[in-house]
Amino acid sequence: MTIKLGVIADDFTGATDIASFMVQSGWRVVQLLVTPDENTDVPQDIDAIVISLKSRSCPVDEAVNNSLKSCRWLRQKASCQQIFFKYCSTFDSTNTGNIGPVTDALMGELNADITLICPALPVNGRTVVHGHLFVNGQLLNESGMQHHPVTPMKDANLLRLMEQQAQGKAGLVDLACVHQGEQAIRKQLNNLQQQGIRYAAVDAMSMNDLLPIASAVSELTLVTGGSGLGAALASTNTGKSLAPFQSAGATPSAQNRRTVILSGSCSVMTNKQVAQYQQLAPAKSLDIGLCLHDPQYAGQLVEWIIQQSESDLAPMLYSTQLPETLQKIQQQYGATTASGAIENTFASVVKSLQQRGFNTFIIAGGETAGKVVQSLDIQQFSIGAPIAPGVPWVRDLQHNHWLALKSGNFGDINFFLHAQEMFHE
């Protein structure tokens, strides 16, 4: 069976995001949690492979090298027909970020003259108009993303962002063209290519806008974007409509379930979700100073979690902060130092909890999720039922663990509670 799409995702939450949307659109999908090599077996009887990298904020050489290794494996060993570089629907990448360099490297590897820039995910409020990215109707740089602790977004113009990061010129496929359909989009892509444009940012205001875009780029060797385009590619192939959110799929059993919540995201929605959950269940904020300087701190947090075992709901550890508090923390400790200390503490806590019998981990934040999953030594996920659009339950078949990996602004205010309500008897 030919594998239709090979996805290289720049973080772990984004990988589960696109995998879930493609499953909902009728494709069979496997998610790999390590950079594959010659010893990695190719999954059978599937339509798409998603490789989860932690390349969004790592050094650019590392991001490029791991992306190229993944691309070569997907093309040469798995024989994928098309490659998809998946990044967040909020284009989490500053002027010196990794999206541009990775895109250039993949274009060179695949001999691609032009590729698509399509982060739109309208079902979650991410739309693109005149090449500008909006989040729930607000320009990206006014949406709260300007306060992101790792990739603060100061500009909403995708063309400008790509040209600052990458080596070529960007052009636009505007909304009027998209509404004219597949052939008009193809013609505009050809026009841009003839003008020497390498990156075609594309407008989209609704999920249905993504369908003609997906059809128009079916012959491109490389596309880039968010999970909305992934859903549309699967939908145009299967003929299954881009249906409203459905909760079909596997969920964790309530029996012998030992669960913890870890929240590292400082997004607007995650702040609301943490505040809401604090009213319902035990919750403890991380002390950054102790994360940095006390080697016993992670063990103390583990003991606190275990002491909450009588609670009906899972305890929560969080480093989620409001923008003004986050700014003070970054000024005191440095943004990179603080983020690294938090991720390392979360990873140590989870590894210890795994050894103590915990088997379910609900994680908010892409950087946090990547570090935690790596600490659990997970190789492959199967995709279960979505908790919210773009956030599925996933199962580690090797250890029989269940995880929910939530991108910052995804889910509603009761996400953490709703995830646990999905446990079945």
Side-chain angles (χ1 to χ4, degrees):
M1 177 181 178
T2 302
I3 299 175
K4 301 175 182 69
L5 192 67
V7 179
I8 303 165
D10 70 353
D11 81 341
F12 284 66
T13 56
T16 58
D17 170 20
I18 193 170
S20 177
F21 273 105
M22 291 191 297
V23 167
Q24 292 289 302
S25 293
W27 269 0
R28 292 163 292 182
V29 181
V30 166
Q31 182 178 344
L32 303 182
L33 281 300
V34 293
T35 305
D37 56 29
E38 64 275 6
N39 298 316
T40 305
D41 292 332
V42 177
Q44 300 300 306
D45 298 323
I46 59 168
D47 299 290
I49 300 173
V50 179
I51 297 174
S52 313
L53 300 183
K54 195 175 186 296
S55 59
R56 177 170 300 166
S57 57
C58 70
V60 63
D61 289 346
E62 180 182 340
V64 167
N65 288 338
N66 287 335
S67 298
L68 287 175
K69 287 179 183 177
S70 299
C71 180
R72 288 165 187 158
W73 185 88
L74 290 167
R75 289 286 281 186
Q76 297 169 14
K77 188 166 184 180
S79 300
C80 295
Q81 292 178 322
Q82 188 175 46
I83 300 299
F84 191 126
F85 173 36
K86 197 277 177 191
Y87 40 78
C88 188
S89 56
T90 44
F91 204 82
D92 296 10
S93 181
T94 62
N95 293 348
T96 57
N98 289 344
I99 291 177
V102 170
T103 299
D104 280 341
L106 293 174
M107 291 180 75
E109 177 71 19
L110 298 168
N111 296 314
D113 295 321
I114 191 168
T115 191
L116 203 69
I117 307 298
C118 185
L121 182 59
V123 70
N124 277 358
R126 280 77 166 147
T127 55
V128 180
V129 183
H130 301 305
H132 288 72
L133 182 54
F134 289 79
V135 179
N136 295 320
Q138 293 182 300
L139 283 166
L140 176 66
N141 56 297
E142 299 174 1
S143 68
M145 281 299 298
Q146 69 269 34
H147 303 302
H148 193 287
V150 179
T151 54
M153 300 305 301
K154 306 295 187 180
D155 194 352
N157 188 307
L158 294 174
L159 285 73
R160 193 158 49 225
L161 283 166
M162 279 302 296
E163 289 185 353
Q164 288 167 338
Q165 291 184 22
Q167 299 299 313
K169 292 294 184 181
L172 178 65
V173 181
D174 66 21
L175 195 61
C177 178
V178 170
H179 286 169
Q180 291 175 47
E182 175 186 349
Q183 294 306 316
I185 298 169
R186 286 180 183 270
K187 181 178 180 181
Q188 176 64 358
L189 289 173
N190 288 332
N191 290 339
L192 292 174
Q193 185 175 348
Q194 291 171 9
Q195 297 169 32
I197 298 296
R198 286 171 57 83
Y199 325 107
V202 58
D203 286 352
M205 282 290 289
S206 71
M207 291 298 288
N208 284 336
D209 287 340
L210 295 170
L211 293 172
I213 297 169
S215 296
V217 301
S218 60
E219 296 177 4
L220 291 184
T221 55
L222 173 70
V223 293
T224 85
S227 56
L229 180 59
L233 288 168
S235 179
T236 55
N237 179 261
T238 63
K240 185 175 180 180
S241 64
L242 283 176
F245 172 68
Q246 301 177 17
S247 293
T251 59
S253 167
Q255 187 174 5
N256 300 319
R257 190 64 41 204
R258 300 192 73 186
T259 306
V260 65
I261 298 170
L262 307 168
S263 180
S265 167
C266 292
S267 71
V268 173
M269 179 51 74
T270 304
N271 266 285
K272 293 178 181 178
Q273 291 162 340
V274 167
Q276 179 76 359
Y277 194 74
Q278 283 178 295
Q279 302 176 35
L280 306 174
K284 190 175 186 66
S285 175
L286 292 191
D287 185 308
I288 309 303
L290 293 177
C291 289
L292 282 165
H293 303 302
D294 185 352
Q296 307 302 318
Y297 185 50
Q300 295 168 11
L301 294 172
V302 169
E303 293 305 318
W304 177 82
I305 290 168
I306 292 172
Q307 291 168 9
Q308 313 309 315
S309 58
E310 293 183 3
S311 173
D312 292 333
L313 293 173
M316 175 173 65
L317 290 181
Y318 66 95
S319 61
T320 302
Q321 301 292 346
L322 295 170
E324 54 270 23
T325 305
L326 176 63
Q327 185 176 22
K328 292 177 182 177
I329 290 171
Q330 292 178 335
Q331 289 173 347
Q332 182 175 358
Y333 298 107
T336 301
T337 299
S339 296
I342 290 166
E343 290 179 27
N344 289 334
T345 299
F346 277 139
S348 296
V349 167
V350 164
K351 190 64 178 176
S352 296
L353 290 174
Q354 181 189 40
Q355 295 168 354
R356 303 281 284 269
F358 278 72
N359 52 21
T360 308
F361 305 93
I362 301 171
I363 308 165
E367 299 298 319
T368 304
K371 192 71 173 183
V372 166
V373 170
Q374 289 174 339
S375 75
L376 292 173
D377 193 29
I378 298 172
Q379 305 295 311
Q380 183 174 314
F381 280 150
S382 65
I383 309 301
I387 305 162
V391 194
W393 277 111
V394 294
R395 187 182 179 192
D396 165 23
L397 300 179
Q398 181 180 356
H399 303 100
N400 198 28
H401 293 341
W402 285 87
L403 297 92
L405 310 180
K406 187 190 87 72
S407 293
N409 277 311
F410 284 15
D412 64 18
I413 195 169
N414 287 307
F415 174 85
F416 296 126
L417 175 63
H418 180 48
Q420 296 171 75
E421 290 175 339
M422 292 179 70
F423 296 163
H424 66 83
E425 296 299 329

